[in-house]
Amino acid sequence: MAQVLEFKLPDLGEGLTEAEIVRWLVEVGDVVAVDQPVVEVETAKAMVEVPCPYGGVVTARFGAEGTELPVGAPLLTVAVGETAPGRPAGDGSGAAADGARDGASGREPAAEGSGNVLVGYGTSQAPARRRRVRPAAPAVNGRSRAPEPVRETRPAGTPQAAPGARTGRTAPADGPVPVISPLVRRLARENGLDLRKLTGSGPDGLILRADVEHALRAAGTQDRTGTTAATAPAATTTAATPATPAATGGPARSTAGAASVTRVPLKGIRGAVADKLSRSRTEIPDATCWVDADATELMRTRAAMNAAGGPKISVLALLARICTAALARFPELNASVDTGAREIVRYADVHLGFAAQTERGLVVPVVRDAHTRDAESLTAEFARLTEAARAGTLTPAELTGGTFTLNNYGVFGVDGSTPIINHPEAAMLGVGRIVPKPWVHEGELAVRQVVQLSLTFDHRVCDGGTAGGFLRYVADCVEQPAVLLRTV
């Protein structure tokens, strides 16, 4: 007999708690192989194709496209050891065919190991929990249909609820709200719905998503017909009274005001950015210092490099090279704070993050081991990660693990900023636009290429002297790139 295994949404990266289904890659009845991508999801960090660690026949999918699921929620179920009805036994994945042969001989299907190691998956054995497979429905166009959902049975004589009724118990005014799913709470919160005024239809009065959606549909219908809110307590019957202008004008003004307000859910990348920046402002006592620098020689150096042939060197790569040299002199800033242990954690390697604005929002890809790269290698890696960010194909590993961030906000045409530190890092260097300005050069007034540099740092990891020394060294390298030759 086939064994039905449940594949749950795995932990796709550091700190991720949910993902949105973008596109299903398989249908119910399809035969899948071990590690075959089955669904494309969008997390707060990237777009990811999720591979299934089991091989067999897809018997159910959970969640439509556009649905947000928490980590650990079921994604789909796979019947291991069963071939799709209407297909030859040798068709499909090897795992499904082998499982069918094992089932016919009375042996348990052999568990295959998953090469793609997901958190909670990738083991060599299947879970011990088993579920009985219901008889498959007749094939339609060569593809099996999803099994009928298991319906709750009632003892004889138990009255059945009327269609459309919401059964269960209402939450007490001063007690906990009977809701388990965080998605249900979020749906109610985003639509301004008071869960205490709902009656749950689940076991023991549990409020389900269907209850919230039913209440929202009812409220929308009443708004269109001009009736009162469905959640108001039932009023006693009173004699009809003529409507006054104030009574009729109030709801009309309220509805017009509500129509002019747009609510945008904080989810996906926007929600992740909001949470991270809020945490940074809450936990990190940051301070900012800044300085203007003459970048004329830096631009001339870049022009000379590019004139020599070979790949073009970007300004961002030269600034990154200066950053890594400065961090070697001031390692206090290549650190983070472990608040639980009350310790400063300093890193020997520099994993340099850089801010990249995309259509999906702000992301911070990370250049691994930036301190070991030259300007040419840094230019290539910046270009690769920027293209992946715009395409939405960055992996969670490419978006985490940074130790210091370089923020080139000059691309937006601004001179200065006081950036928020990318938690849990300890510092961020901001670079404004490079523009011609009057500048005193060698005792005379001249037009030079000037840039403003700013450093925001965690005051717990160092004092102002260290931060000022770091920023001054960066400015010196910008003004006289030959300073870098001492550390090359």
Side-chain angles (χ1 to χ4, degrees):
M1 181 176 292
Q3 181 181 6
V4 175
L5 304 179
E6 186 177 73
F7 176 39
K8 298 180 180 180
L9 179 64
D11 182 357
L12 299 171
E14 299 177 11
L16 297 180
T17 59
E18 61 194 7
E20 178 179 336
I21 297 176
V22 176
R23 180 168 59 99
W24 282 104
L25 306 178
V26 295
E27 301 285 345
V28 172
D30 285 355
V31 176
V32 296
V34 174
D35 290 341
Q36 175 181 333
V38 293
V39 64
E40 187 179 68
V41 300
E42 181 179 14
T43 70
K45 297 181 180 293
M47 201 91 71
V48 181
E49 287 187 353
V50 181
C52 180
Y54 311 126
V57 180
V58 178
T59 58
R61 300 187 318 191
F62 301 95
E65 294 179 355
T67 303
E68 275 194 346
L69 296 178
V71 170
L75 267 179
L76 50 77
T77 54
V78 178
V80 178
E82 177 179 293
T83 56
R87 299 190 186 191
D91 189 20
S93 68
D98 293 343
R101 288 192 295 270
D102 291 343
S105 62
R107 294 184 286 114
E108 293 293 335
E112 290 193 52
S114 170
N116 285 326
V117 180
L118 303 171
V119 178
Y121 295 93
T123 57
S124 60
Q125 296 184 3
R129 189 181 68 173
R130 299 181 183 179
R131 298 162 69 184
R132 186 177 297 277
V133 179
R134 297 177 62 85
V140 179
N141 297 329
R143 177 176 289 172
S144 64
R145 296 184 302 181
E148 292 292 328
V150 179
R151 304 184 183 277
E152 181 182 359
T153 58
R154 299 174 180 270
T158 302
Q160 185 174 1
R166 289 287 183 262
T167 61
R169 298 180 298 189
T170 305
D174 56 348
V177 180
V179 178
I180 295 178
S181 172
L183 296 179
V184 174
R185 292 183 182 272
R186 175 183 298 174
L187 181 63
R189 182 173 62 252
E190 291 176 351
N191 290 276
L193 190 63
D194 187 357
L195 289 173
R196 294 187 180 276
K197 296 181 180 179
L198 293 186
T199 300
S201 61
D204 296 326
L206 182 66
I207 297 176
L208 307 177
R209 181 170 184 167
D211 300 325
V212 176
E213 292 175 342
H214 177 80
L216 294 177
R217 285 195 299 269
T221 301
Q222 291 180 350
D223 286 343
R224 288 191 296 271
T225 58
T227 59
T228 57
T231 54
T236 57
T237 304
T238 58
T241 58
T244 63
T248 57
R253 287 193 299 269
S254 176
T255 303
S260 64
V261 175
T262 302
R263 290 180 174 267
V264 180
L266 278 174
K267 64 178 185 178
I269 285 187
R270 187 73 262 161
V273 170
D275 293 340
K276 198 159 192 175
L277 296 183
S278 298
R279 185 176 182 184
S280 178
R281 277 294 191 213
T282 302
E283 294 186 8
I284 299 178
D286 59 348
T288 301
C289 53
W290 57 89
V291 65
D292 289 339
D294 181 2
T296 305
E297 293 302 322
L298 180 69
M299 302 305 290
R300 287 176 179 171
T301 300
R302 174 175 177 261
M305 289 180 176
N306 292 336
K312 301 297 184 181
I313 304 300
S314 68
V315 175
L316 187 63
L318 295 179
L319 292 171
R321 182 67 188 87
I322 293 173
C323 269
T324 57
L327 289 173
R329 283 175 167 255
F330 301 92
E332 297 91 338
L333 294 170
N334 193 45
S336 63
V337 175
D338 186 340
T339 55
R342 292 185 62 82
E343 293 176 343
I344 297 174
V345 183
R346 293 180 181 172
Y347 304 103
D349 299 331
V350 178
H351 302 312
L352 187 65
F354 67 99
Q357 190 71 36
T358 69
E359 293 182 355
R360 298 173 60 239
L362 178 68
V363 295
V364 184
V366 177
V367 177
R368 301 287 170 182
D369 300 316
H371 61 293
T372 65
R373 299 175 181 265
D374 57 19
E376 187 173 314
S377 174
L378 287 168
T379 297
E381 187 66 358
F382 281 135
R384 184 188 72 82
L385 291 173
T386 300
E387 183 61 30
R390 291 171 179 168
T393 57
L394 287 171
T395 65
E398 292 171 330
L399 288 163
T400 54
T403 61
F404 187 92
T405 295
L406 176 61
N407 186 0
N408 182 20
Y409 46 76
V411 296
F412 302 119
V414 298
D415 295 326
S417 174
T418 56
I420 300 176
I421 296 175
N422 186 26
H423 185 278
E425 297 169 12
M428 175 186 292
L429 179 68
V431 182
R433 60 177 179 164
I434 302 176
V435 293
K437 287 185 178 181
W439 190 267
V440 177
H441 176 66
E442 296 181 351
E444 296 182 357
L445 187 64
V447 176
R448 307 285 287 182
Q449 300 291 321
V450 179
V451 61
Q452 185 178 97
L453 306 170
S454 64
L455 176 70
T456 299
F457 64 99
D458 186 340
H459 227 312
R460 296 174 297 179
V461 303
C462 69
D463 295 326
T466 301
F470 174 93
L471 188 59
R472 187 63 256 172
Y473 179 80
V474 170
D476 290 343
C477 290
V478 168
E479 294 184 339
Q480 300 177 13
V483 173
L484 281 176
L485 294 176
R486 295 179 59 89
T487 58
V488 172

